[in-house]
Amino acid sequence: MSEQLIRVYLPATMPMLSSLRAQGQIAGDEAHAVTPALREWYAEGDEEELEYVAFTRAAQGALRMLRHDPDAPRQRVVVSADVPSNAVTRDDQELGSSAVRIQRPVELAAVAAIHIDGTGAVDDVSAAAEVVEEAQAGDPDAQFTVDSAEDHELEWYDISELETLT
């Protein structure tokens, strides 16, 4: 019997992708996934819509990482990976939560895809990274700035393209 896998979306930065390439794994315990709490909150959503919510929240997590890493290129990065369900815990059971914790580094072989902002998003992402925490605290002007970054779709890359991305 094969082990059950769960798709997780890990917020990341470009330096973290370099580490993934060099070490063959990516650390980072914060991730998002389609959780029971998310399913209950968004009962009308199909699987694709629920995955999009989790993915979008991971992109917001990438903004927070950028705020705390001023040297990282101003591009949101989300790593989609399929990890064993026993490596994932849900410590936030709030209705609608997609937050999960990854108990061990994610191996390169588990990565399904990499998503990165295109160069056209850099200015909006840079501005959003500066105010993302204020937006989460309810500042409407900051939320407008974050929304401007979220208007940019992240570009999809196959894991085989990792060498050209870092």
Side-chain angles (χ1 to χ4, degrees), residues 52-116:
Y52 184 76
V53 170
F55 176 87
T56 300
R57 290 179 179 167
Q60 292 168 351
L63 277 178
R64 287 189 301 281
M65 289 178 157
L66 289 173
R67 179 173 181 149
H68 298 287
D69 186 355
D71 296 329
R74 295 337 225 181
Q75 294 169 284
R76 294 170 298 167
V77 176
V78 175
V79 176
S80 298
D82 296 315
V83 299
S85 58
N86 66 3
V88 177
T89 59
R90 295 166 190 85
D91 47 292
D92 179 1
Q93 297 301 316
E94 182 178 316
L95 187 62
S97 175
S98 62
V100 296
R101 296 257 172 228
I102 308 295
Q103 301 303 311
R104 55 185 178 244
V106 174
E107 299 296 324
L108 185 61
V111 175
I114 298 168
H115 314 270
I116 304 172

Side-chain angles (χ1 to χ4, degrees), residues 5 22 44 48 65 67 111 144-145 150-151 154 158:
L5 298 177
E44 300 298 315
E48 189 173 317
M65 289 178 157
R67 179 173 181 149
V111 175
F144 180 80
T145 302
E150 291 178 354
D151 286 342
L154 278 74
D158 186 84

